[in-house]
Amino acid sequence: MYNIILLLAEILLLILKILYYICEDIYRVIVPIKKKSVTGEIVLITGAGHGIGKELAIGYASLGATVICCDIDERTNNETMSDIKKMGIDSVYAYRCDVADREQVFRVAEKVKEEVGDVTILVNNAGIVFIKSLLNQRPDEIARVMDVNVMAHYWTLKAFLPSMIEKNYGHVVALSSIAGLLGITYGTVYCPTKFAVKALMETVSEELRVLSNGKSLVKFTTVYPVFVLTGLSKKQKMRFPMFMRSLSPQKAALGIIEAQR
């Protein structure tokens, strides 16, 4: 009897929570949440040399943030910095970094701290993909995708999260993908990496909440874009294409910044 009462109580609590969140969402449609200012924030963006990363760098710089561009391609990374400086914005820096290289990430993190300051917003955007079936993926390709899309998140979190925890202030943004919610053709390597990003972000957020007794003010945002026209891959064939329209990097970046703010 006790277990039955307990179950009914939990069901009632669930119903009340659902009603609460529905009412809260309706209220937020009428009275939107005021967006946080990013003026003066130090934003580090991985994969800033092209695509979404470049547009994120431009977007944050336009809003008054100090932007740190990180990319393995030094030429395109410097181009992003130059494009921002042409806008009359000087608070932008560029560091070449292979985010899959643990020691390199830690070295760059030290340089950033010394030359710019503590990162307050970390955007883990860098990612790669090889559009091939599983049996056609070379072992080195599989390892590289895992290193860039998953392991890099561990290295950047280890490098930049401690200062956020120490100050009890900061925000981590990670790009997963709609491919991190469902499997797609030729995604036998890419999809699991995006599933992993989802799991990592949820777990770190929960871990920090528990360890801080609910007092942590460090925020975590995971983004699940639909297919973005970055040139990394051709548009995948889906069962319901009308619900899977592609986004430009500019629109994707605007949505990500809005979500973080």
Side-chain angles (χ1 to χ4, degrees):
M1 181 62 69
Y2 172 78
N3 289 334
I4 293 174
I5 293 173
L6 187 62
L7 175 61
L8 291 174
E10 289 186 359
I11 292 172
L12 178 60
L13 180 61
L14 174 62
I15 293 171
L16 291 174
K17 281 185 176 181
I18 292 171
L19 291 173
Y20 169 79
Y21 286 123
I22 290 173
C23 292
E24 183 183 53
D25 285 346
I26 293 172
Y27 174 75
R28 288 306 179 189
V29 169
I30 301 170
V31 184
I33 297 174
K34 184 179 178 181
K35 295 177 185 177
K36 294 190 296 184
S37 171
V38 295
T39 301
E41 301 282 3
I42 299 178
V43 185
L44 186 142
I45 302 163
T46 66
H50 71 284
I52 298 173
K54 180 171 185 173
E55 297 301 328
L56 285 169
I58 293 170
Y60 275 113
S62 300
L63 292 170
T66 295
V67 173
I68 300 166
C69 303
C70 286
D71 201 290
I72 192 173
D73 189 329
E74 189 171 20
R75 180 184 61 82
T76 58
N77 200 42
N78 287 335
E79 284 179 359
T80 298
M81 179 177 66
S82 297
D83 288 346
I84 292 173
K85 287 189 173 182
K86 288 175 184 176
M87 298 164 57
I89 299 170
D90 293 323
S91 55
V92 57
Y93 303 82
Y95 293 88
R96 183 193 177 279
C97 183
D98 178 359
V99 291
D101 185 328
R102 177 182 58 192
E103 297 304 323
Q104 196 172 136
V105 169
F106 294 161
R107 284 197 301 270
V108 169
E110 284 299 319
K111 288 187 67 177
V112 166
K113 185 172 182 177
E114 292 172 5
E115 298 173 3
V116 187
D118 287 324
V119 170
T120 56
I121 300 176
L122 168 65
V123 184
N124 279 320
N125 161 75
I128 61 171
V129 61
F130 296 105
I131 307 299
K132 297 180 179 180
S133 66
L134 175 62
L135 298 183
N136 286 324
Q137 296 269 1
R138 299 198 312 267
D140 61 304
E141 291 174 337
I142 295 173
R144 183 61 182 170
V145 173
M146 290 293 178
D147 286 342
V148 174
N149 292 10
V150 181
M151 297 310 298
H153 288 253
Y154 284 93
W155 311 145
T156 56
L157 285 170
K158 293 279 284 183
F160 299 110
L161 187 57
S163 65
M164 296 183 188
I165 294 174
E166 182 182 350
K167 295 179 178 179
N168 198 24
Y169 181 84
H171 204 135
V172 179
V173 180
L175 267 73
S176 178
S177 167
I178 193 170
L181 302 174
L182 50 88
I184 58 175
T185 306
Y186 302 124
T188 48
V189 179
Y190 183 75
C191 290
T193 66
K194 293 304 180 179
F195 273 101
V197 170
K198 175 182 184 294
L200 174 60
M201 288 288 283
E202 289 178 0
T203 306
V204 173
S205 176
E206 177 63 11
E207 183 175 271
L208 195 53
R209 184 191 68 80
V210 171
L211 293 177
S212 69
N213 293 317
K215 296 178 180 179
S216 176
L217 297 179
V218 179
K219 306 298 182 183
F220 295 86
T221 299
T222 310
V223 185
Y224 304 90
V226 293
F227 300 107
V228 182
L229 302 174
T230 61
L232 287 177
S233 67
K234 295 180 180 179
K235 185 177 179 181
Q236 293 287 327
K237 292 182 178 180
M238 303 294 293
R239 288 183 63 193
F240 307 105
M242 65 180 295
F243 298 115
M244 297 294 177
R245 63 186 180 85
S246 297
L247 290 177
S248 68
Q250 293 89 345
K251 284 188 177 181
L254 286 174
I256 293 165
I257 294 172
E258 182 174 348
Q260 181 272 313
R261 294 182 65 200

